[in-house]
């Protein structure tokens, strides 16, 4: 969640938001900002590797420069199980090549997640990476 920019935006637009980050300083800033705006934000200091994503719990999961499979055990599987049917995953991450993005999309598609959009950009991202990819998935019943 970092300092909560996207979490706060969603909360301002009517979403019931839970944001997770392992950095106490970022979570504190998100909480302060949400409080100053008078919005509800459930901001948790947690390591995503230990966080209980739950089962059939979320309508929307945003992964914006978040840790992934290399840092969080069974990440894709836990993510897919946590979504309600019809739930959406929005992801924007650094990807070195279109192939690496495509491989990620293929792996997630095998977990009851239907690919709705895949976009690879060779331009500087908000966080300074020279290339990045965007994925949009929806959980479907099989």
């Amino acid at each position: 969640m970092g300092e909560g920019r996207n979490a706060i935006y969603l909360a301002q637009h009517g979403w019931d938001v839970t944001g997770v980050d392992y950095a106490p300083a970022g979570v504190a800033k998100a909480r302060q900002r949400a409080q100053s705006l008078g919005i509800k934000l459930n901001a948790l200091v947690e390591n995503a590797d230990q966080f209980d994503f739950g089962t059939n719990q979320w309508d929307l999961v945003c992964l914006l420069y978040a840790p992934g499979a290399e840092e969080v055990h069974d990440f894709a599987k836990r993510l897919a199980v946590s979504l309600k049917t019809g739930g959406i995953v929005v992801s924007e991450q650094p990807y070195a090549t279109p192939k690496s993005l495509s491989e990620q999309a293929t792996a997630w598609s095998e977990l009851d997640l239907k690919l709705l959009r895949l976009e690879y950009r060779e331009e500087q991202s908000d966080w300074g990476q020279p290339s990045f990819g965007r994925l949009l998935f929806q959980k479907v019943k099989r």
Side-chain angles (χ1 to χ4, degrees):
M1 177 186 68
E3 295 181 6
R5 176 177 62 152
N6 296 297
I8 288 169
Y9 175 85
L10 290 169
Q12 288 175 314
H13 288 84
W15 289 88
D16 181 9
V17 178
T18 297
V20 177
D21 199 293
Y22 61 86
V27 171
K29 286 182 181 181
R31 287 175 179 160
Q32 285 178 326
R33 177 81 174 129
Q35 184 176 9
S36 74
L37 294 170
I39 59 171
K40 180 184 170 201
L41 176 65
N42 184 22
L44 305 174
V45 177
E46 293 224 26
N47 180 324
D49 194 43
Q50 279 104 39
F51 181 69
D52 180 6
F53 288 89
T55 301
N56 195 35
Q57 183 168 341
W58 310 108
D59 295 304
L60 173 66
V61 173
C62 296
L63 303 169
L64 306 170
Y65 298 87
E70 66 281 351
E71 296 176 38
V72 180
H73 76 281
D74 296 328
F75 180 67
K77 181 180 176 184
R78 291 169 58 210
L79 175 71
V81 168
S82 77
L83 280 171
K84 295 177 183 177
T85 299
I88 299 288
V89 176
V90 176
S91 176
E92 182 172 304
Q93 309 292 335
Y95 287 94
T97 64
K99 182 181 179 192
S100 62
L101 176 62
S102 179
E103 288 169 352
Q104 179 76 66
T106 299
W108 285 13
S109 293
E110 296 170 359
L111 297 168
D112 295 336
L113 297 174
K114 178 183 176 186
L115 180 64
L116 302 176
R117 182 177 176 108
L118 180 145
E119 179 182 353
Y120 180 78
R121 306 291 292 264
E122 284 189 353
E123 61 186 61
Q124 189 168 15
S125 72
D126 286 353
W127 303 108
Q129 289 85 6
S131 59
F132 61 95
R134 294 179 178 138
L135 295 165
L136 181 64
F137 285 94
Q138 185 173 36
K139 184 169 182 178
V140 294
K141 284 187 176 180
R142 291 195 185 201

